[in-house]
Amino acid sequence: MGSSLSYPEVDLAGKVAIVTGGNTGIGYETGKAFARMGARVILACRSEERATEAIAKMQSELAEAKPVSGEDINVEFMALDLSSLASARDFAKAFLARRLPLHLLVLNAGIAFISPLQLTDDGLEKHFQVNYLGHLLIILHLLELLSSSGPDVRVISVSSGAYKAGTLDLTNMDGSKSYGRFKFYGNSKLYQIMMTFYLQKKLSDSGIAFSCLNPGFVKTEATRGFEDSAFLTALAKATHALGMARSAAKGAATSINAAVNPEFANGKALFFESCKPTGVKSLARDETRHEELWTYSIELLRKYIDDECATKLTDMGLTISSSEAAESLDNQDD
């Protein structure tokens, strides 16, 4: 499986990359590939302990391999908990304070198949926030930096083929009317794709190339969400044992190709499967629904975007409500 999975080895010397959830699975292999090619890599993770262990492992695995650029391997940890919007904002601000450029932003971290329904401390359905909304908040804070770090700057969202089962129902975003683990996982992955196309259209002159992808069925920690179900756990183990799942390295190939292949430095929003651009279902490209999702998302995020950042985003062509409007919305909610 995945014999066509490949990507070019390029020189990333002088490039800076962020990979969320880079301590394990697809994110780990993505970060390792960037480091091998000479990039300075930031692994944005919840656990410093697990990230430190991952970095040590990465350095050991790459010890015999010289990076494409000939530079030393440069990988480090920064704290990020996507289940907290405050943490997502603070991560972005901490990165900005370092005054580094940013060339590759790979939004890889995620959760899957959580049951029963779980809400974050922000009161949002967990798949929605961790997989989609927290990542969007990071993008918004880093957009100006990304646009000034060019010429070849890319934002990659790791989605899933499960998006095809997703829907956009603004009356049930919190799962209060109905909830299913597969449905809400698929929803969150759909929103990633919708926002990729929305941002590319709105920011077509920014110099940033937005893309998203389906890594395929990969043997990762995503099936931790099955821990409550003996049947689903057994099914996942069986598919892995039968070789029906890609390894993390093969699963990461599509992310890496989307991020580094010179062929895709064209500023067009693309959706990748098995390292190749492909089409998506109509809902993912529905511009009217894009606008609805954007408006809903910004209402949730506005209090985490200060007026200076909002002004910069407005100047770039994005519609951001005023802080007064956000406060009014909070008061209505109360």
Side-chain angles (χ1 to χ4, degrees):
M1 181 177 187
S3 59
S4 64
L5 299 177
S6 63
Y7 52 85
E9 293 287 328
V10 301
D11 187 349
L12 295 181
K15 302 286 189 180
V16 178
I18 292 174
V19 181
T20 68
N23 63 292
T24 189
I26 295 171
Y28 173 84
E29 296 294 341
T30 302
K32 184 171 72 171
F34 292 164
R36 187 183 67 247
M37 296 182 202
R40 180 174 184 172
V41 181
I42 312 297
L43 302 185
C45 314
R46 284 186 304 166
S47 169
E48 182 171 5
E49 179 181 1
R50 293 190 68 190
T52 300
E53 291 174 354
I55 291 170
K57 178 184 176 185
M58 194 179 294
Q59 290 173 332
S60 176
E61 290 175 349
L62 294 177
E64 301 300 322
K66 294 181 179 179
V68 173
S69 66
E71 301 288 335
D72 290 337
I73 295 166
N74 190 343
V75 186
E76 57 191 291
F77 160 79
M78 286 186 68
L80 169 64
D81 180 357
L82 287 161
S83 67
S84 163
L85 292 176
S87 175
R89 175 201 58 202
D90 293 346
F91 164 78
K93 288 191 171 185
F95 183 81
L96 290 171
R98 301 180 66 175
R99 300 190 179 281
L100 294 170
L102 180 59
H103 307 92
L104 298 172
L105 176 58
V106 180
L107 307 169
N108 165 84
I111 57 171
F113 317 125
I114 301 299
S115 184
L117 169 68
Q118 291 185 22
L119 301 181
T120 66
D121 289 343
D122 295 298
L124 302 173
E125 193 277 319
K126 202 164 187 178
H127 293 99
F128 172 78
Q129 179 169 329
V130 172
N131 295 351
Y132 163 70
L133 194 67
H135 278 141
L136 177 59
L137 182 59
I138 292 172
I139 293 173
L140 296 180
H141 276 92
L142 298 181
L143 270 179
E144 184 186 41
L145 174 63
L146 286 160
S147 68
S148 65
S149 297
D152 183 6
V153 171
R154 308 189 197 188
V155 176
I156 314 292
S157 293
V158 180
S159 182
S160 166
Y163 91 90
K164 295 176 183 178
T167 58
L168 176 61
D169 180 359
L170 296 177
T171 70
N172 190 39
M173 300 295 275
D174 61 357
S176 58
K177 291 185 176 179
S178 62
Y179 176 79
R181 69 170 95 206
F182 297 104
K183 181 69 172 178
F184 274 72
Y185 173 70
N187 288 349
S188 69
K189 293 302 179 178
L190 170 65
Y191 306 154
Q192 287 180 303
I193 301 171
M194 293 175 74
M195 199 49 51
T196 293
F197 289 116
Y198 178 85
L199 290 173
Q200 190 69 79
K201 180 180 179 181
K202 291 292 184 179
L203 302 169
S204 59
D205 296 327
S206 67
I208 306 169
F210 295 85
S211 62
C212 47
L213 60 98
N214 171 21
F217 182 39
V218 182
K219 186 178 180 180
T220 69
E221 294 185 1
T223 52
R224 284 180 298 180
F226 291 164
E227 290 175 351
D228 66 304
S229 170
F231 171 75
L232 291 174
T233 298
L235 180 62
K237 288 181 178 179
T239 56
H240 293 167
L242 292 171
M244 297 171 65
R246 288 174 175 165
S247 67
K250 287 185 177 180
T254 302
S255 297
I256 299 164
N257 193 47
V260 307
N261 194 323
E263 181 180 349
F264 305 122
N266 52 19
K268 294 181 180 179
L270 297 171
F271 180 77
F272 293 84
E273 287 185 342
S274 297
C275 290
K276 299 176 181 178
T278 188
V280 295
K281 73 173 191 175
S282 58
L283 177 58
R285 286 189 173 273
D286 188 324
E287 294 182 1
T288 299
R289 304 313 306 275
H290 292 175
E291 291 285 353
E292 293 173 2
L293 177 61
W294 170 260
T295 300
Y296 180 85
S297 301
I298 289 301
E299 287 176 350
L300 295 173
L301 293 178
R302 184 59 183 91
K303 60 185 174 183
Y304 296 97
I305 303 172
D306 62 33
D307 287 343
E308 180 182 2
C309 180
T311 298
K312 292 175 181 178
L313 293 172
T314 300
D315 290 343
M316 293 181 75
L318 296 174
T319 302
I320 308 292
S321 62
S322 68
S323 56
E324 290 81 4
E327 290 171 3
S328 175
L329 179 66
D330 288 342
N331 292 334
Q332 291 176 18
D333 291 341
D334 294 339

